[in-house]
Amino acid sequence: MFRIEVLKKFTVRALSDINQLLPQLALSNVPPKLLTPAGLKHLLKQKNTCLVVVIDSVKKPPQIIGMATVYLVYVPTGLIAVIEDVVVDGTYRGRGLGRKLTEKLIKIATIKKAKYISVKTNPVRVESNAMYVKMGFVKKETNFYRINLPWK
């Protein structure tokens, strides 16, 4: 019924499905910028980035109903992995799909021999925070800062 796989090939359908998921990542009323065909193609070409998707194969045509990204980067202390943009369509939540996505990302990082994998999530996402703790992630007491750069 559900497949978890690394998305390797650009299709218009995949782009459309992903763009249906992106607004569900936003916690504000400001919708996120949608992914362009060029943007998805660029993402899929990245050697150290994997976009993993959940596909509802019962739907005709099959539909991407969840996604998550892991990127691996070498820093002075070694190879690390970072999880970004984990989202499962609201109508499919509560079925363990977020966990399955995360398990796939951990497997990818383990195969690549990353020394750790990290993820950040908003405290208001109670279910996500609980899932990461149940999976063995440890909350780090640190300050996280970001500055938006002026170009768009």
Side-chain angles (χ1 to χ4, degrees):
M1 178 169 181
F2 300 114
R3 300 192 313 270
I4 309 286
E5 62 185 52
V6 174
L7 187 65
K8 294 183 179 181
K9 185 178 168 191
F10 172 86
T11 65
V12 173
R13 176 65 194 225
L15 178 67
S16 175
D17 290 350
I18 289 166
N19 279 331
Q20 292 295 315
L21 291 169
L22 287 176
Q24 296 182 58
L25 283 169
L27 289 173
S28 67
N29 291 332
V30 179
K33 191 174 173 183
L34 296 180
L35 196 54
T36 63
L40 180 55
K41 289 174 185 175
H42 182 73
L43 175 65
L44 296 176
K45 286 182 191 175
Q46 299 300 304
K47 299 256 186 260
N48 287 338
T49 303
C50 290
L51 176 60
V52 177
V53 295
V54 180
I55 298 171
D56 182 345
S57 52
V58 172
K59 287 201 168 203
K60 299 295 177 209
Q63 180 180 0
I64 295 172
I65 51 97
M67 67 176 189
T69 306
V70 64
Y71 66 88
L72 295 111
V73 62
Y74 281 96
V75 295
T77 57
L79 181 66
I80 63 169
V82 180
I83 295 172
E84 291 283 348
D85 295 341
V86 179
V87 62
V88 173
D89 183 86
T91 59
Y92 291 87
R93 291 187 189 146
R95 300 179 193 197
L97 298 173
R99 182 182 185 95
K100 289 185 183 306
L101 279 168
T102 305
E103 287 169 346
K104 179 72 171 178
L105 301 180
I106 292 169
K107 184 175 182 182
I108 290 167
T110 301
I111 289 168
K112 298 284 188 175
K113 299 193 181 337
K115 66 181 196 167
Y116 63 80
I117 190 166
S118 61
V119 62
K120 66 183 182 307
T121 189
N122 194 303
V124 300
R125 296 192 184 275
V126 176
E127 294 85 2
S128 295
N129 282 277
M131 178 191 76
Y132 292 127
V133 170
K134 284 180 190 171
M135 293 183 75
F137 285 83
V138 177
K139 184 177 176 186
K140 302 293 282 183
E141 295 299 329
T142 186
N143 295 330
F144 178 77
Y145 299 95
R146 177 173 64 191
I147 186 170
N148 291 330
L149 300 176
W151 62 275
K152 294 182 186 225

